[in-house]
Amino acid sequence: MMTEDQRKLLGSFVRARRESVAVDRPGRRRTPGLRREELADRANISATWVTWIEQGRDVRPSAHTLDHLAQGLCLSRAERQYLFSLAGREDPADPFAILPQDASASIDALVDCLPWPAYGLNPIWNVTCANGYARELFTGLFDETEAPNLLRYFFTHPSARILLPDWDQRALRILAEFRRDYGRTVSDPRTQSVVDWLKANSETFAAGWEKQAVSEREGGRRSFNHAAKGLLHYTQHTLANPERPDFKLVTLQPEG
């Protein structure tokens, strides 16, 4: 059964995505995106059902209904996974199952073997392991007495804004990437406590969280303005253990 918080999150997400769908229609529209009736037609469900979902009513859409909603909203793969996770339904196209948040020994072993910065992340983005190169790169991250959390560091630690020259752009991407993981573990109180703390302590996170953006975790070039070594450029790779896809191995391979 879905919790009240899950129903509200699901409703907010569906509405945000509905209003963001590009509609090619002549003339001026008073409302952005699709109307509820238009989404209902696309998804082959009733407009009343769409309204109830968006209002967070005590309803539980089936996997079949969610599949039609995802198609009607033109959701990306990450957004589709988030939709199903919030609704507490298993997507037949995504066999991923929420797994316990214990450590992944294989990721720990790989991190120690790599000759460049590497670290492991659990579903709430606690850094479960990191090699010496990563500890040297992320100034201040490992100074915390509690478990280092990449989100808490990125959005609230003053060193992060200095270290990341493109902090504003990275903030939007990291928010969207984390929301995908959040959908998988929304019923875990540890996940919600991370979100609540960040919303209370970071205006950037709080504002960005309301935008409902969802994205895959992407690789590519990452730049760091290190206090001792100057401007550094890496290529980021993110890998998941087939046995534990909820844990990530993140590596930063130096360019050149």
Side-chain angles (χ1 to χ4, degrees):
M1 180 178 294
M2 295 170 62
T3 66
E4 182 179 356
D5 286 342
Q6 283 177 282
R7 293 196 300 270
K8 289 180 179 178
L9 285 166
L10 177 65
S12 297
F13 178 67
V14 170
R15 179 174 181 176
R17 296 278 67 79
R18 173 175 62 80
E19 293 178 348
S20 69
V21 174
V23 179
D24 185 12
R25 178 180 295 172
R28 298 181 60 185
R29 294 176 60 92
R30 294 183 179 179
T31 57
L34 294 170
R35 300 185 183 94
R36 285 173 176 162
E37 294 77 10
E38 292 171 327
L39 174 57
D41 287 341
R42 284 189 174 201
N44 196 28
I45 60 177
S46 72
T48 300
W49 196 245
V50 174
T51 300
W52 286 355
I53 292 173
E54 291 189 357
Q55 290 177 344
R57 297 277 192 96
D58 190 10
V59 296
R60 192 181 181 199
S62 66
H64 179 76
T65 298
L66 293 170
D67 176 56
H68 282 228
L69 265 179
Q71 294 182 50
L73 291 168
C74 304
L75 299 185
S76 67
R77 187 177 73 166
E79 290 170 335
R80 179 186 174 97
Q81 291 171 338
Y82 183 66
L83 177 78
F84 274 82
S85 297
L86 288 181
R89 295 290 190 185
E90 184 175 342
D91 184 353
D94 179 20
F96 181 94
I98 295 175
L99 300 172
Q101 296 192 39
D102 54 350
S104 175
S106 58
I107 289 181
D108 291 358
L110 284 171
V111 162
D112 289 336
C113 293
L114 290 171
W116 48 68
Y119 55 92
L121 290 179
N122 72 5
I124 59 173
W125 288 34
N126 280 348
V127 180
T128 60
C129 57
N131 61 16
Y133 301 103
R135 292 175 180 274
E136 182 181 7
L137 177 62
F138 288 95
T139 307
L141 173 60
F142 299 95
D143 294 343
E144 303 178 13
T145 55
E146 53 189 321
N149 181 277
L150 196 62
L151 293 164
R152 184 171 60 237
Y153 171 75
F154 188 89
F155 285 99
T156 66
H157 200 294
S159 295
R161 287 181 177 265
I162 299 173
L163 181 64
L164 306 173
D166 54 347
W167 188 91
D168 291 335
Q169 292 75 24
R170 296 270 281 275
L172 296 176
R173 181 169 59 235
I174 284 178
L175 265 169
E177 291 172 351
F178 173 66
R179 184 176 278 280
R180 175 177 178 270
D181 292 345
Y182 171 78
R184 299 186 186 279
T185 58
V186 65
S187 60
D188 189 326
R190 290 172 294 183
T191 304
Q192 191 58 49
S193 67
V194 169
V195 173
D196 290 343
W197 189 92
L198 287 165
K199 288 169 68 175
N201 289 275
S202 169
E203 293 182 1
T204 301
F205 184 92
W209 192 249
E210 297 304 315
K211 295 181 180 179
Q212 301 281 341
V214 185
S215 175
E216 300 276 6
R217 186 166 176 83
E218 300 176 350
R221 191 183 217 209
R222 299 290 187 269
S223 298
F224 298 86
N225 188 23
H226 194 269
K229 298 184 177 181
L231 188 61
L232 304 172
H233 301 293
Y234 298 88
T235 300
Q236 178 178 285
H237 304 281
T238 301
L239 306 172
N241 184 340
E243 298 176 356
R244 292 301 311 274
D246 54 338
F247 274 72
K248 301 176 182 65
L249 168 64
V250 184
T251 71
L252 293 163
Q253 183 177 4
E255 290 188 352

